[in-house]
Amino acid sequence: MNKVRAYLSSLLIAALVITSLPVAAAPASPQSLDLVSTQSVLSADRAGADRERINEILARADVQDQLLKQGVDLNEVDARVAALSDAEAQQMANQLEQLPAGAGGGIVGALFAVFVILLITDILGLTDVYPFTR
């Protein structure tokens, strides 16, 4: 009886080991179901709207003329706007929305905001627009 019990124990252990091999060899599945919260969707939507508003203002002919007069490459401006973090885009869009629509001061303020952002990224070494930052 002891021999049968020892034999069955060995068979049971071997069966458990063999049946667990496919589970152990299978790739690990992610624990989360990739659920997206409402807040993250809304913040992503808000960030896209902020960038859209900035691009609308920068697409205006008078703003582009002023940027070109100051020696700023328009392609570089587009790249910088795309590289803004969500918080930076929101801050810049809020500043642009607070400026009076169509006023000369609004354009100057928008250009100043773009200049400051370009200057900060240049000082951080992320870009090379202004030679005086080196």
Side-chain angles (χ1 to χ4, degrees):
M1 185 70 161
N2 287 338
K3 285 187 176 186
V4 173
R5 187 174 290 172
Y7 182 74
L8 287 175
S9 311
S10 300
L11 278 177
L12 181 61
I13 291 171
L16 288 173
V17 168
I18 290 173
T19 57
S20 67
L21 285 178
V23 173
S29 63
Q31 295 296 324
S32 69
L33 298 175
D34 295 312
L35 297 177
V36 179
S37 70
T38 304
Q39 187 64 30
S40 65
V41 171
L42 290 176
S43 65
D45 187 41
R46 172 71 184 176
D50 291 337
R51 279 188 177 71
E52 201 172 299
R53 175 74 178 131
I54 294 168
N55 287 327
E56 286 174 7
I57 292 172
L58 293 175
R60 291 177 25 191
D62 53 344
V63 173
Q64 289 184 354
D65 288 341
Q66 289 295 323
L67 287 172
L68 289 173
K69 284 180 185 177
Q70 294 196 13
V72 178
D73 181 23
L74 296 178
N75 293 329
E76 185 70 27
V77 172
D78 292 337
R80 298 267 182 119
V81 171
L84 290 175
S85 70
D86 292 344
E88 292 168 336
Q90 181 180 12
Q91 180 183 6
M92 186 172 181
N94 288 339
Q95 288 175 351
L96 292 173
E97 286 174 5
Q98 292 173 359
L99 298 172
I107 293 171
V108 172
L111 290 176
F112 181 72
V114 170
F115 173 77
V116 168
I117 290 172
L118 293 174
L119 182 65
I120 290 171
T121 56
D122 219 31
I123 290 171
L124 293 174
L126 301 173
T127 58
D128 187 23
V129 176
Y130 302 115
F132 60 85
T133 59
R134 301 282 179 260

